């Protein structure tokens, strides 16, 4: 099946055809490094990770760029509040972002350009916009984009043209979509900026947030590239303004497909750093969450629907993952003479992939996976399984892991522990409950716990 993705620009699901054959150029808006990324941010980063994993699975080569926003209103404000330099603040949170992403098994981008390393590219682009009559220098020597000179303004958010008569301008990076205004490309220096400034043809200052992504995406992916992603809050003003600046500077198209993930909510409210109602990866790690459980919880909802995060769903996610582990070990221990890596592709695997190919329908894909697990256990119990089925099953699980990253790596149970587990099982068979309980305690003392699941008892490190 061909890939179908929902394009925010057309408000339709479209067949995905890359601009260059077999090669996809992908830009994803990265973190603003003034604080730890929260799991809402990671919902968006995981949706982008899934998209990339699927493109790779379909044998496209992918060039993926994710920027690091290390200069904007929020980073400056926070470094002043914390009494540290901008660099100290942004280095700390950039490092944390990388370690959280790696822990969550997010595939790395090809490059993570930092805004502060691309000020020249931004200045050049702003100059182009001035030369072409799409920008003007204000009295304070800030530079603004003039939206009324760009007739296509509003094409991503579908703003009505009468709203564009506004002659106001806004210096802030973020504002509401009911009052589109001339926005800042370059912000003249203010004392609150401290020692954060660069020279420019218009005087001391710093770039606006939106120009950062236009300049960096075009530098690394070319003027016109395939997919640009972010969360829905990026649609306006950030992505609308990126389109306006980029298209006005080049007189060409900028991005073929815009994809946005809905927000993660916490008990019904948007999870956001500025509201303070959020969980960091660190918080969840401390509570014993694994990367697979977090990935499962965040991928369990379709990326275009709001998803509510609740700690109460953890057990459900752990049980779901445990079922995958159980079927995997059942298949692995099924007696097969030799591995035949090129085993057949099951119908379930085909349906699982088709669901993801249809605008990344993860809830449907997971439902197919769980039906397959149930059926597979039944077939094995009925002795209807042969080595071809086993290999097909193991191949399917490999595909699931490559696409979703929800299967934990194999736990190596030491021989001594396995012997105790077997001894306890034997004691239980003989209805020798006292010995079974003693062995359970001995295992706990050695740092291993036993858990009963629908598919039998499993042994895990505590
Ligand atoms: P920021 O660090 O604020 O620049 O955000 C990084 C990414 O996370 C952007 O793509 C945002 O759109 C996205 N994002 C922010 N809040 C949420 C949320 N509650 N749920 C999902 N994505 C979010
Ligand atoms: Zn961006």
């Amino acid at each position: 099946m061909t890939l179908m993705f929902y394009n925010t620009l057309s408000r339709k699901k479209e067949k995905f055809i890359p601009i260059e054959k077999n090669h996809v150029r992908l830009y994803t808006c990265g973190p603003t490094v003034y604080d730890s990324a929260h799991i809402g941010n990671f919902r968006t980063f995981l949706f982008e990770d899934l998209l990339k994993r699927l493109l790779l699975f379909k044998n496209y080569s992918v060039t993926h760029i994710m920027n690091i926003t290390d200069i904007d209103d929020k980073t400056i404000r926070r470094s002043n509040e914390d009494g540290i330099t901008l660099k100290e603040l942004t280095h700390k949170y950039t490092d944390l972002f990388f370690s959280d992403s790696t822990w969550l098994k997010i595939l790395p981008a090809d490059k993570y350009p930092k805004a502060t390393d691309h000020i020249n590219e931004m200045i050049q682009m702003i100059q182009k916009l001035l030369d072409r009559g799409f920008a003007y220098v204000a009295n304070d020597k800030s530079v603004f984009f003039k939206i009324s000179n760009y007739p296509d303004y509003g094409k991503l958010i579908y703003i009505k043209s009468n709203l564009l008569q506004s002659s106001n301008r806004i210096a802030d990076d973020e504002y509401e979509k009911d009052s589109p205004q001339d926005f800042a490309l370059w912000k003249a220096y203010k004392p609150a900026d401290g020692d954060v400034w660069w020279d420019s043809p218009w005087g001391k200052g710093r770039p606006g947030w939106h120009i950062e992504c236009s300049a960096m995406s075009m530098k690394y992916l070319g003027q016109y590239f395939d997919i640009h992603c972010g969360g829905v809050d990026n649609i306006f003003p950030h992505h609308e303004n990126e389109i306006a600046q980029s298209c006005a500077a080049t007189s060409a198209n900028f991005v073929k497909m815009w994809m946005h993930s809905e927000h993660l909510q916490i008990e019904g409210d948007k999870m956001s750093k500025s509201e303070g109602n959020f969980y960091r990866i660190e918080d969840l790690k401390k509570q014993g969450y694994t990367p697979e459980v977090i990935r499962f919880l965040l991928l369990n909802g379709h990326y275009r629907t709001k998803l509510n995060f609740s700690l109460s769903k953890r057990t459900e996610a752990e049980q779901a993952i445990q079922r995958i582990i159980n079927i995997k070990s059942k298949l692995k221990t099924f007696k097969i003479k030799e591995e035949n890596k090129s085993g057949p592709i099951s119908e379930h695997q085909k349906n699982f992939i088709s669901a993801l190919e249809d605008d990344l329908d993860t809830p449907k894909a997971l439902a197919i996976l769980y039906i397959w697990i149930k059926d597979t256990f039944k077939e094995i119990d009925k002795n209807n399984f042969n080595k071809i089925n086993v290999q097909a099953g193991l191949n399917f699980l490999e595909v699931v892991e490559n696409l979703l990253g929800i299967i934990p790596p194999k736990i190596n149970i030491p021989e001594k522990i396995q012997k105790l587990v077997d001894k306890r099982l034997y004691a239980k068979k003989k209805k020798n409950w006292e010995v079974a309980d003693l062995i359970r305690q001995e295992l706990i003392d050695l740092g291993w716990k036993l858990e009963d699941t629908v598919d039998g008892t499993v042994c895990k490190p505590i």
Side-chain angles (χ1 to χ4, degrees), residues 31 137 139 180 186 190 263 290 292 333 408 424 430 442 445 458:
V137 183
N139 288 341
W186 185 260
K190 289 194 300 301
H263 272 160
T290 62
E292 290 78 18
T333 50
R424 182 178 165 273
K430 296 277 167 201
E442 195 179 342
D445 296 342
V458 294

Side-chain angles (χ1 to χ4, degrees), residues 249-295:
T250 63
S251 305
N253 280 333
F254 173 44
V255 170
K256 193 164 181 191
M257 198 163 252
W258 288 87
M259 294 177 69
H260 294 98
S261 72
E262 249 303 344
H263 272 160
L264 184 69
Q265 301 192 314
I266 183 151
E267 311 309 341
D269 278 330
K270 180 190 160 189
M271 186 177 286
S272 83
K273 285 178 243 180
S274 44
E275 296 294 324
N277 62 342
F278 61 88
Y279 292 111
R280 301 177 180 91
I281 295 300
E282 201 185 320
D283 304 326
L284 298 179
K285 237 193 225 180
K286 272 191 203 138
Q287 293 185 34
Y289 278 75
T290 62
E292 290 78 18
V293 168
I294 298 176
R295 289 184 73 100

